């Protein structure tokens, strides 16, 4: 056997060995994938899905700190707004009494103001006696709905997972439609009917395993849970198509097994390299402060890796299994050649590049004015969820409310009273609610200070009993000695003395008459609810209802002003103002950083991959300029239409476009650079476009239609925005790489060549005689001169440079070459 040259030859030989192992051990991989799929069908139910955007805010944001503080210090009871329509006020009052009498309801707000009765509709604000996350709160709401089943009712609540269930239902329908599209596209772009089940089985296996391994992340966002599988299909189906096309190409001269092995050995490095641009774009999302970026990036990168494993380990066995069926079901390709595109490119090579440059400059300026929003209230979706419809109906009759919480240090009711009074005087505030301005009884607020005489008169309690009660309370006061001498003027906040009295009665130190005891019980229940929600051991909470919208410059500026006002009363203290408006303010601030970071990192990651793919500094710059230009064009649409766009849609879609859509440009560029020195430039670009069109139309149509379906059929603002931008962006990418990139390559090929830094690897000239097997791209003489890719046997003399592949001496038994090849096939098949 002739000595093999090192470097590329050893690499090729190694890949052949790897491919041979995978193909020959296909039953082992069938078993492993079967086990993984069965496990995944069980484990896909283990994953926890986080439905709150705020959960992914950085720990340094005010919203995250405020929510953590409130969870630690306060109890949040389950609440619901229930609107009953088409009823007179008298009947609305009766319904109010019936709801209030339910054991599970601890508070009901309803009156004859337009806040609760308007246009023959009644709005009940109900608080249940269970925490918001307690299943009993949902059961209590079901009880209310059952009681009102004979009325037209609309329920708005943050309890439960109704929205998540609707999103899951929508994505199931979308997945089915995308599956139909995939099958249709594969049938139209296939060359043999039996290749379609090979491709589908490969993808379905990878998708199921992806779904089944989500639990490894512990908790994933509702966005990742909804769109990962659909995007995995659109992003990774290319890999299976590339391998399948390689196999069909090799099978023209080799039998099924050999074609499978050779195709796999070539596809592994080729597909791995192709996937790096997509992964590079996704890695950029991991640098986002907003945690959904990292969450989605990790989900999609894992999905791509599992897709690669499916193509490399499962698909070779499927090709062996379906190989004969593929041979029998060949048909004429439905994808036509498109020579007119190449001819158009050649004729307009001096026109399109400068025109495109003007377009992308204009698009950059326009897209920079894209109206990004940070919450759902200003987003219109083609489909409305049940919750959105209910909220809209309630808003029509009773208006909107924008509430934020103000969390301050506990322990000073006087400061709270002054702070609430100053806030109530602001026109940006509708009203506030805290212990210091909540009425208890007879005009007294919960935190008003009462003397023993005042308290005895309020409850019609014997003065001596009240005096003893105050004296017992004063024992725990640090100024006890001074208080004893002036007990008649000693004043205690109403809520504190009430709670103390209840504890004394409960422990048996004080006995009250039945009527007074009933009053105390009712008051204690209401006060305990107020304390649970508004006062913790270290913090107090006040609710501030704004007249401003949930987001906007005016709202964000006033949130800062609330801090300024509160800091006058609580100097050097940690003031927190959590709420939906603050959450959107935090998202706005993170977007200012994330926008720059994602763009820079995605460009750099893809640039590095392209740099070593093409061994040229000019090519990556041209390709990235093209795709970045398409991204600006994509986000010019909402700017021109003045259509609000959820900020996260831009961050995610721009990363996916940069990483995935650039593959289309790579297919065209790589083919053109290979052909441009072998034939006239016009013929090279025509041949390039004929070659690239089937790949681009297959992958591009799937990704575009997947995005369009998501954008048109999802009721969630974030998911809808991702779909719309991805679908539109992919269509723009296809148009640009088909009708602009070829002209750029024709005009810029000299720049690409001059910036090339490819290093020529010295090859060893191999000489041999007799029978030999040649696999790879070779240059030299075989009883004549040959340059090309060879797979076959030679008997004679050969003097060749083996550029990619190997040349092996075979033991010659003297039989005819045809007989020898047949014998080799029989031995391998055996």
């Amino acid at each position: 056997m002739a000595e093999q040259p090192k470097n590329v030859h050893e690499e090729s030989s190694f890949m052949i060995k790897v491919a041979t192992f995978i193909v020959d051990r296909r039953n082992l991989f069938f078993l492993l994938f079967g086990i993984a799929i069965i496990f995944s069908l069980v484990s896909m139910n283990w994953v926890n899905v986080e439905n709150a955007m705020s959960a992914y805010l950085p720990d340094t944001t005010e919203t995250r700190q405020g929510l953590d503080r409130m969870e630690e210090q306060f109890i949040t009871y389950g609440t619901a707004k229930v609107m009953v329509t088409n009823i007179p006020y008298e009947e609305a009052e009766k319904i109010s009494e019936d709801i209030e009498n339910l054991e599970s309801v601890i508070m009901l707000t309803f009156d004859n103001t337009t806040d609760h009765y308007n246009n023959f509709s009644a709005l009940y604000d109900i608080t249940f006696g269970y925490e918001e996350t307690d299943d009993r709160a949902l059961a209590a709401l079901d009880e209310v709905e059952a009681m009102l089943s004979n009325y037209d009712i609309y329920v708005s609540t943050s309890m439960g997972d109704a929205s998540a269930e609707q999103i899951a239902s929508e994505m199931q329908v979308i997945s089915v439609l995308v599956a139909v599209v995939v099958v249709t596209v594969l049938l139209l772009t296939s060359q043999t009917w039996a290749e379609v089940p090979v491709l589908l089985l490969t993808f379905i296996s990878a998708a199921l395993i992806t779904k089944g391994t989500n639990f490894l992340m512990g908790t994933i966002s509702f966005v990742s849970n909804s769109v990962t599988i659909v995007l995995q299909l659109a992003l990774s189906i290319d890999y299976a198509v590339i391998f399948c096309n390689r196999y069909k190409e090799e099978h023209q001269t080799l039998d099924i097994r050999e074609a499978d092995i050779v195709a796999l050995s070539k596809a592994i490095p080729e597909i791995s390299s192709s996937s790096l641009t997509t992964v590079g774009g996704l890695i950029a999302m991991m640098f986002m402060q907003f945690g959904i970026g990292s969450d989605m990036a990790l989900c999609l990168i894992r999905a791509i890796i599992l897709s690669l494993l499916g193509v490399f380990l499962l698909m070779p066995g499927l090709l062996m299994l379906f190989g004969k069926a593929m041979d029998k079901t060949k048909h004429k390709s439905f994808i036509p050649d498109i020579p007119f595109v190449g001819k158009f490119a050649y004729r307009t090579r001096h026109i399109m590049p400068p025109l495109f440059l003007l377009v992308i400059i204009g698009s950059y300026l326009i897209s920079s004015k894209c109206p990004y929003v940070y919450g759902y209230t200003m987003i219109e979706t083609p489909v409305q969820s049940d919750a959105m419809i209910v909220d809209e109906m309630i808003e029509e009759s009773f208006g909107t409310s924008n509430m934020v919480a103000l969390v301050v240090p506990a322990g000073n009711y006087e400061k709270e009273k002054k702070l609430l009074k100053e806030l109530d005087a602001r026109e940006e505030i509708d009203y506030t609610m805290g212990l210091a301005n909540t009425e208890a009884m007879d005009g007294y607020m919960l935190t008003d200070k009462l003397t023993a005489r005042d308290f005895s008169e309020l409850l019609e309690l014997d003065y001596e009993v009240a005096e003893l009660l105050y004296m017992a309370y004063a024992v725990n006061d640090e100024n006890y000695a001074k208080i004893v001498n002036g007990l008649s003027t000693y004043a205690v906040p109403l809520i504190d003395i009430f709670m103390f009295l209840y504890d004394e009665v409960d422990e048996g130190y004080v006995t009250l008459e039945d009527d007074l005891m009933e009053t105390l019980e009712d008051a204690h229940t209401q006060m305990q609810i107020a304390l649970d929600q508004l006062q913790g051991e270290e913090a107090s909470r006040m609710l501030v209802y704004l007249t401003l919208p949930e987001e906007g410059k005016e709202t964000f500026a006033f949130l800062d002003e609330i801090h300024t006002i509160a800091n006058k009363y609580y100097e050097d203290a940690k003031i927190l103002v959590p709420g939906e408006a603050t959450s959107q303010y935090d998202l706005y601030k993170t977007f200012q950083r994330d926008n720059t970071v994602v763009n820079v990192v995605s460009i750099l990651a893809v640039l590095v991959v392209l740099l070593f793919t093409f061994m040229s500094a000019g090519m990556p710059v041209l390709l990235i300029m093209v795709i970045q230009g398409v991204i600006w064009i994509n986000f010019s649409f909402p700017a021109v239409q003045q259509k609000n766009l959820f900020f996260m849609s831009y961050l995610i879609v721009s990363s996916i476009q940069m990483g995935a859509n650039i593959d289309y440009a790579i297919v065209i560029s790589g083919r053109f650079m290979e052909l441009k020195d072998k034939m006239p430039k016009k013929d090279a670009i025509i041949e390039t476009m004929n070659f690239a069109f089937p790949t681009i139309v297959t992958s591009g149509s799937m990704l575009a239609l997947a995005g369009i379906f998501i954008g048109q059929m999802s009721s969630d603002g974030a998911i809808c925005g991702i779909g719309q931008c991805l679908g539109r962006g992919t269509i723009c990418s296809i148009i640009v790489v088909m009708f602009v990139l070829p002209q750029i390559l024709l005009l810029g090929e000299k720049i690409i060549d001059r910036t090339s830094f490819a290093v020529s690897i010295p090859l060893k000239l191999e000489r041999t005689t007799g029978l030999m097997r040649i696999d790879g791209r070779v240059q030299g003489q075989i009883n004549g001169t040959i340059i090309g890719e060879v797979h076959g046997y030679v008997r004679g003399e050969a003097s060749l440079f083996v550029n990619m592949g190997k040349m092996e001496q075979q033991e010659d038994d003297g039989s005819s070459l045809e007989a020898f090849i047949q014998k080799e096939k029989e031995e391998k098949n055996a």
Side-chain angles (χ1 to χ4, degrees):
M1 182 183 295
E3 181 185 354
Q4 292 296 308
K6 296 187 184 298
N7 51 63
V8 294
H9 309 325
E10 290 184 354
E11 182 182 345
S12 175
S13 177
F14 172 74
M15 293 310 303
I16 287 288
K17 290 178 182 177
V18 170
T20 302
F21 176 81
I22 293 171
V23 171
D24 290 345
R25 297 291 184 274
R26 55 189 177 276
N27 290 331
L28 170 64
F29 291 110
F30 285 156
L31 176 63
L32 292 176
F33 271 83
I35 293 171
I37 290 168
I38 293 171
F39 175 79
S40 296
L41 291 172
V42 177
S43 64
M44 64 176 59
N45 298 313
W46 299 349
V47 66
N48 294 317
V49 179
E50 176 57 64
N51 297 306
M53 286 280 189
S54 57
Y56 291 93
L57 284 166
D59 293 337
T60 55
T61 58
E62 184 174 7
T63 299
R64 185 72 266 141
Q65 293 177 9
L67 291 174
D68 291 343
R69 186 71 165 165
M70 290 194 299
E71 186 176 349
E72 170 193 320
Q73 293 287 317
F74 311 110
I75 294 174
T76 301
Y77 289 101
T79 60
K81 289 180 181 288
V82 178
M83 183 174 76
V84 183
T85 60
N86 303 317
I87 55 170
Y89 181 74
E90 293 73 20
E91 192 169 357
E93 273 192 312
K94 183 179 182 307
I95 290 174
S96 173
E97 293 172 4
D98 292 341
I99 295 174
E100 201 164 14
N101 288 333
L102 291 174
E103 187 177 341
S104 57
V105 174
I106 57 173
M107 188 182 297
L108 176 72
T109 304
F110 176 75
D111 52 43
N112 61 358
T113 66
T114 55
D115 289 338
H116 291 98
Y117 186 80
N118 191 31
N119 295 330
F120 293 98
S121 296
L123 181 65
Y124 305 98
D125 287 317
I126 305 172
T127 302
F128 301 102
Y130 311 103
E131 290 190 48
E132 189 175 40
T133 55
D134 194 326
D135 289 340
R136 289 178 295 178
L138 281 173
L141 178 58
D142 290 339
E143 186 180 8
V144 172
E145 291 179 350
M147 189 180 75
L148 301 175
S149 59
N150 293 328
Y151 297 91
D152 295 328
I153 65 169
Y154 301 90
V155 180
S156 175
T157 181
S158 59
M159 299 187 299
D161 294 322
S163 295
E165 291 171 3
Q166 178 149 353
I167 290 172
S169 175
E170 291 168 353
M171 291 310 300
Q172 286 176 356
V173 176
I174 291 169
S175 297
V176 171
L177 289 174
V178 170
V180 171
V181 167
V182 168
V183 173
T184 304
V185 171
L186 290 179
L187 287 172
L188 291 175
T189 58
S190 66
Q191 294 174 329
T192 168
W193 301 122
E195 73 184 62
V196 175
V198 172
L199 298 173
L200 291 177
L201 286 171
T202 302
F203 172 74
I204 291 170
S205 300
L208 288 174
I209 296 172
T210 298
K211 194 86 171 169
T213 53
N214 280 338
F215 80 95
L216 295 174
M217 294 181 65
T219 299
I220 64 173
S221 71
F222 71 96
V223 179
S224 300
N225 188 56
S226 300
V227 303
T228 295
I229 297 302
V230 176
L231 292 183
Q232 178 186 12
L233 166 64
L235 291 173
S236 61
I237 195 71
D238 271 0
Y239 310 146
V241 171
I242 290 171
F243 179 32
C244 188
N245 289 341
R246 269 288 183 187
Y247 165 78
K248 288 183 291 186
E249 184 181 334
E250 299 295 340
H251 190 40
Q252 291 177 4
T253 56
L254 301 173
D255 62 19
I256 292 174
R257 178 179 174 276
E258 288 180 331
D260 202 359
I261 292 171
V262 173
L264 181 59
S265 69
K266 295 178 180 179
I268 290 175
E270 181 182 353
I271 294 171
S272 299
S273 175
S274 173
S275 68
L276 287 178
T277 54
T278 305
V279 172
L282 295 173
I283 285 174
M285 289 162 53
M286 297 179 66
F287 287 83
M288 288 169 56
Q289 284 184 311
F290 189 40
I292 280 186
S294 295
D295 180 82
M296 198 165 177
L298 289 171
C299 283
L300 284 172
I301 290 172
R302 177 166 44 83
I304 287 172
I305 291 172
L306 290 171
S307 295
L308 289 174
L309 291 176
V311 171
F312 296 156
L313 302 179
L314 177 64
M315 191 170 168
L318 293 174
L319 287 172
M320 291 293 292
L321 201 62
F322 286 84
K324 292 181 179 178
M326 289 173 65
D327 291 341
K328 295 176 181 177
T329 58
K330 290 181 180 179
H331 62 82
K332 185 178 179 181
S333 175
F334 298 107
I335 304 296
D337 286 341
I338 50 169
F340 63 91
V341 174
K343 292 176 182 177
F344 171 78
Y346 191 78
R347 286 197 299 268
T348 60
R349 64 190 183 280
H350 297 294
I351 301 172
M352 295 302 290
L355 187 61
F356 181 65
L357 184 61
L358 292 175
V359 169
I360 62 174
I361 291 172
S363 298
Y364 168 74
L365 296 173
I366 295 171
S367 64
S368 64
K369 295 178 173 55
C370 187
Y372 297 111
V373 294
Y374 307 91
Y376 285 1
T377 55
M378 299 173 68
I379 297 177
E380 294 182 7
T381 56
V383 176
Q384 284 191 308
S385 66
D386 295 339
M388 292 165 67
I389 294 171
V390 169
D391 290 341
E392 191 175 287
M393 293 192 67
I394 292 176
E395 285 177 17
E396 285 179 3
S397 296
F398 301 100
T400 60
S401 64
N402 179 16
M403 186 269 287
V404 295
L406 175 57
V407 181
V408 299
N412 195 319
Y413 293 144
E414 286 300 316
K415 286 185 178 180
E416 290 182 29
K417 185 174 183 178
K418 292 176 182 177
L419 174 56
L420 289 169
K421 185 177 180 180
E422 182 171 349
L423 291 173
D424 275 326
R426 296 297 300 257
E427 63 179 14
E428 297 92 345
I429 293 176
D430 187 10
Y431 65 96
T432 62
M433 185 184 299
L435 291 178
N437 66 354
T438 298
E439 185 176 350
M441 54 180 65
D442 291 354
Y444 285 109
M445 301 299 166
L446 285 172
T447 61
D448 285 351
K449 289 186 174 181
L450 277 69
T451 62
R453 175 71 63 188
D454 296 330
F455 189 67
S456 68
E457 291 175 357
L458 178 65
L459 285 187
E460 298 180 357
L461 181 68
D462 185 78
Y463 176 69
E464 285 74 17
V465 174
E467 197 172 35
L468 288 172
L469 179 69
Y470 268 62
M471 189 171 292
Y473 183 90
V475 170
N476 296 318
D477 196 307
E478 59 184 12
N479 297 314
Y480 175 68
K482 297 178 182 178
I483 293 169
V484 172
N485 295 325
L487 191 63
S488 61
T489 59
Y490 179 50
V492 179
L494 175 59
I495 191 169
D496 291 348
I497 197 65
F498 242 114
M499 301 305 288
F500 182 73
L501 173 59
Y502 183 85
D503 290 340
E504 293 294 294
V505 171
D506 191 48
E507 292 174 10
Y509 297 127
V510 177
T511 303
L512 300 176
E513 295 178 0
D514 290 344
D515 290 347
L516 190 55
M517 191 63 202
E518 185 177 346
T519 301
L520 180 64
E521 289 279 2
D522 291 342
H524 173 267
T525 298
Q526 298 303 316
M527 290 181 183
Q528 188 61 55
I529 293 169
L531 285 172
D532 288 342
Q533 297 187 90
L534 300 175
Q535 182 171 288
E537 292 183 7
E538 300 172 354
S540 288
R541 174 166 63 176
M542 290 163 267
L543 306 181
V544 181
Y545 290 84
L546 305 177
T547 58
L548 301 170
E550 284 189 354
E551 67 175 284
K553 290 182 179 179
E554 187 181 1
T555 302
F556 296 159
F558 187 68
L559 291 174
D560 290 334
E561 197 164 344
I562 290 176
H563 279 275
T564 303
I565 295 170
N567 282 326
K568 290 194 299 185
Y569 300 93
Y570 299 92
E571 294 181 4
D572 302 323
K574 183 72 172 178
I575 306 296
L576 296 168
V577 189
E580 189 60 39
T582 305
S583 173
Q584 293 172 29
Y585 190 19
D586 287 334
L587 291 172
Y588 165 77
K589 287 183 282 190
T590 61
F591 178 62
Q592 307 311 304
R593 172 194 175 275
D594 288 346
N595 187 18
T596 302
V597 170
V598 167
N599 284 333
V600 171
V601 174
S602 63
I603 288 173
L604 288 177
V606 173
L607 181 66
V608 170
V609 175
L610 295 179
L611 203 60
F612 290 98
T613 298
F614 289 101
M615 294 296 182
S616 167
M619 180 68 85
V621 173
L622 288 177
L623 297 189
I624 287 175
M625 180 188 72
V626 168
I627 298 302
Q628 185 60 57
V630 174
I631 292 172
W632 289 330
I633 292 170
N634 186 15
F635 290 96
S636 295
F637 283 86
V640 171
Q641 297 168 343
Q642 280 303 294
K643 183 178 179 181
N644 292 332
L645 179 68
F646 194 60
F647 78 103
M648 191 175 69
S649 303
Y650 171 79
L651 294 174
I652 291 173
V653 172
S654 61
S655 296
I656 292 175
Q657 267 196 269
M658 181 56 71
N661 289 176
I662 205 166
D663 280 350
Y664 310 152
I666 291 173
V667 171
I668 292 174
S669 304
R671 189 67 168 185
F672 176 72
M673 297 306 292
E674 182 183 335
L675 297 176
K676 71 183 182 67
D677 295 327
K678 299 178 181 178
M679 58 183 73
K681 300 296 186 294
K682 181 178 180 180
D683 295 340
I685 203 65
I686 291 172
E687 179 63 29
T688 294
M689 300 314 295
N690 286 337
F691 167 81
F693 182 62
T695 301
I696 294 172
V697 76
T698 302
S699 175
S701 60
M702 290 181 189
L703 187 57
L705 288 170
I708 290 169
F709 285 140
I710 292 172
Q712 294 301 313
M713 300 181 68
S714 176
S715 60
D716 181 86
I719 296 173
C720 172
I722 291 171
Q724 290 176 340
C725 294
L726 187 61
R728 183 178 61 239
T730 302
I731 292 171
C732 291
S733 295
I734 293 172
I735 293 172
V736 169
V737 299
M738 291 293 293
F739 296 100
V740 178
L741 178 62
Q743 290 90 325
I744 292 175
L745 291 173
L746 285 165
L747 205 62
E749 55 140 337
K750 291 182 180 178
I751 297 174
I752 297 168
D753 288 340
R754 288 173 183 173
T755 57
S756 173
F757 56 86
V759 179
S760 298
I761 301 174
L763 301 176
K764 180 179 179 181
L765 183 64
E766 298 182 41
R767 300 176 184 273
T768 187
T769 59
L771 183 63
M772 66 206 78
R773 169 67 191 264
I774 303 173
D775 278 301
R777 180 176 174 79
V778 300
Q779 179 177 343
Q781 293 183 335
I782 306 178
N783 287 332
T785 301
I786 180 171
I787 297 177
E789 195 165 300
V790 177
H791 300 287
Y793 292 87
V794 173
R795 177 178 275 147
E797 296 181 1
S799 178
L800 303 170
F801 287 108
V802 184
N803 190 18
M804 285 289 290
K806 61 184 178 179
M807 183 167 72
E808 296 177 340
Q809 185 80 39
Q810 304 288 314
E811 186 176 343
D812 195 346
D813 60 3
S815 61
S816 68
L817 193 54
E818 290 80 2
F820 178 84
I821 294 171
Q822 183 62 33
K823 179 183 174 184
E824 285 288 299
K825 288 183 179 180
E826 290 173 356
E827 289 178 356
K828 288 179 180 178
N829 290 335

